[in-house]
Amino acid sequence: MKFNNALKDITLYEAGKPIELVVREFGIDAASVVKLASNENPLGTAPEVANTILAHATKAHLYPDDSMHELKDGLSKKFQVDTNEIIIGAGSDQVLEFIARALLCSDDSVLMSRITFAMYEIYAKQLGCIIRRTPSYVHKADEFIEEYKKHKPKIIYLCIPNNPIGDCMTASEAFRVIDAVDSDTLVVVDGAYMEYASYKDRDCSISPSDILKYPNVIYLGTFSKAYGLGGMRVGYGIAREELIGELGKMRPPFNISSLSLAAAITALKQDDFIQESLVLHTEQIAKYEEFANQNNIEFIPSYTNFITYLLDEGLNSTVVADNLLKKGVIIRNLASYGLNAIRITIGTKAQNDIFFGHFGYEIGAR
Ligand SMILES: *Cc1c(COP(=O)(O)O)cnc(C)c1O
């Protein structure tokens, strides 16, 4: 069988390892596994959301409301945008897929930072496109503008803040890029971690309504991170109505389940839960910075719910990640991104202390 040539060049997306794998491979009890690998909310999801999901179980035989009106209404009030300016995806990942398929033809190029969210590349490569990257792994506006002028890419991906590095382009820098680009190029502002970034630093805050004056910019958000709904798969894109209308042509009907829809609607109302999550996060990420400083580990100041430790020659990120895995601590090895670094999702105090204990041992043994 001959597959689409474009597939030759695609490496599989490497998802964070699930708890089940550690249980299976190392015989560790599921309850003792510490998963700090997929940027999930360590507080879980708000109890009201879990109750909503349970309450909707009896309606599992009904197709969901495909207009998703109630969810769009909630988002529209939260962000002061029109419901026609919103598209819902099975995770913002699916919105990224709609965007790629709606815009890209083979041999078009797309531009992203040297190290960023892997799905931008994967969707573009599926369509036979050329990947261009800025030289730096953190987002630099001048580099984006320069590469844009050279290659006129069809899509520019700004991951604000950036996964898996944690750096954050300021809003004014992002708009410097956006203003330098003409309307043939779409700029994607991926705000998967925006709740964390805007809580930490107002200068990094971009809200969806800020981008609506541009016909060629789309803002992406997700319920998977701060809202604690990774397992429900709900994300959204916000842009001008004309753009949303075109993306709608790529969307299959009923693309998120009725349970997901109900969960997201309830999650949007849990301001106290989000606040509590951000407070815990802020307190705990400070511990990671302190630990790094005490142990001479270089880290990238993070605007997200994870932190990236850059390891020196004495520590190999693959070895460290494997050793921690055997002890039931799942973190992310960034070797596949060409970095000797590990990315750790900030957990609860108890989870983080377990990480510090085991990682401290690795440092001592180097
Ligand atoms: C997690 C993440 C997403 C999307 O997550 P979904 O679960 O598909 O909503 C998008 N972009 C970045 C940068 C992410 O880290």
Side-chain angles (χ1 to χ4, degrees), residues 13 38-39 89-96 116-120 123 158-164 190-193 220-225 229-236 304-306 343:
Y13 180 81
S38 298
N39 306 337
S92 53
D93 253 331
Q94 194 184 31
V95 185
L96 283 167
T116 191
F117 190 51
M119 292 314 298
Y120 308 150
Y123 288 130
L158 300 179
C159 192
I160 305 178
N162 187 19
N163 177 20
D190 184 348
Y193 303 92
L220 303 186
T222 179
F223 285 90
S224 299
K225 310 286 160 59
L229 285 178
M232 287 281 111
R233 316 300 307 122
V234 192
Y236 51 89
T304 61
N305 64 347
F306 58 80
R343 188 194 73 184

Side-chain angles (χ1 to χ4, degrees), residues 55-288:
H56 278 74
T58 54
K59 292 181 231 159
H61 60 296
L62 298 174
Y63 277 107
D65 168 14
D66 195 49
S67 76
M68 307 188 203
H69 181 75
E70 202 179 342
L71 178 56
K72 287 184 184 170
D73 201 48
L75 288 166
S76 128
K77 294 203 169 84
K78 180 177 168 70
F79 293 124
Q80 307 295 309
V81 301
D82 198 88
T83 51
N84 295 331
E85 294 165 330
I86 303 172
I87 186 164
I88 307 294
S92 53
D93 253 331
Q94 194 184 31
V95 185
L96 283 167
E97 186 182 6
F98 298 158
I99 292 168
R101 286 175 41 227
L103 277 145
L104 299 174
C105 300
S106 62
D107 301 327
D108 281 342
S109 70
V110 299
L111 173 63
M112 62 195 76
S113 99
R114 179 154 73 84
I115 297 182
T116 191
F117 190 51
M119 292 314 298
Y120 308 150
E121 167 175 345
I122 292 176
Y123 288 130
K125 280 190 171 173
Q126 287 174 352
L127 296 157
C129 296
I130 300 156
I131 313 297
R132 311 257 183 221
R133 295 176 183 278
T134 60
S136 302
Y137 60 62
V138 297
H139 280 48
K140 294 202 170 144
D142 286 333
E143 292 182 2
F144 273 93
I145 294 169
E146 196 179 321
E147 293 297 314
Y148 162 75
K149 286 186 179 150
K150 254 193 267 173
H151 302 294
K152 291 286 158 81
K154 199 80 181 279
I155 302 179
I156 298 176
Y157 294 96
L158 300 179
C159 192
I160 305 178
N162 187 19
N163 177 20
I165 299 296
D167 66 295
C168 194
M169 190 177 225
T170 60
S172 63
E173 286 294 275
F175 283 106
R176 207 150 68 73
V177 177
I178 290 168
D179 285 323
V181 164
D182 72 36
S183 61
D184 290 339
T185 295
L186 177 73
V187 181
V188 175
V189 174
D190 184 348
Y193 303 92
M194 191 56 80
E195 290 86 356
Y196 299 94
S198 56
Y199 185 73
K200 174 171 171 163
D201 185 349
R202 293 293 310 160
D203 289 347
C204 288
S205 173
I206 297 181
S207 78
S209 57
D210 297 340
I211 58 99
L212 283 177
K213 75 168 190 254
Y214 300 89
N216 61 325
V217 182
I218 184 165
Y219 179 95
L220 303 186
T222 179
F223 285 90
S224 299
K225 310 286 160 59
Y227 283 90
L229 285 178
M232 287 281 111
R233 316 300 307 122
V234 192
Y236 51 89
I238 298 179
R240 289 266 197 95
E241 188 178 345
E242 309 84 77
L243 180 54
I244 293 298
E246 292 303 305
L247 298 182
K249 296 177 184 174
M250 298 297 147
R251 185 181 71 84
F254 314 117
N255 58 322
I256 68 169
S257 76
S258 49
L259 301 187
S260 306
L261 197 54
I265 291 164
T266 305
L268 264 188
K269 298 172 188 156
Q270 312 305 316
D271 290 343
D272 291 350
F273 174 78
I274 297 295
Q275 186 62 22
E276 186 192 342
S277 303
L278 293 170
V279 169
L280 169 77
H281 166 77
T282 306
E283 182 185 291
Q284 290 300 311
I285 199 167
K287 301 267 163 63
Y288 277 85

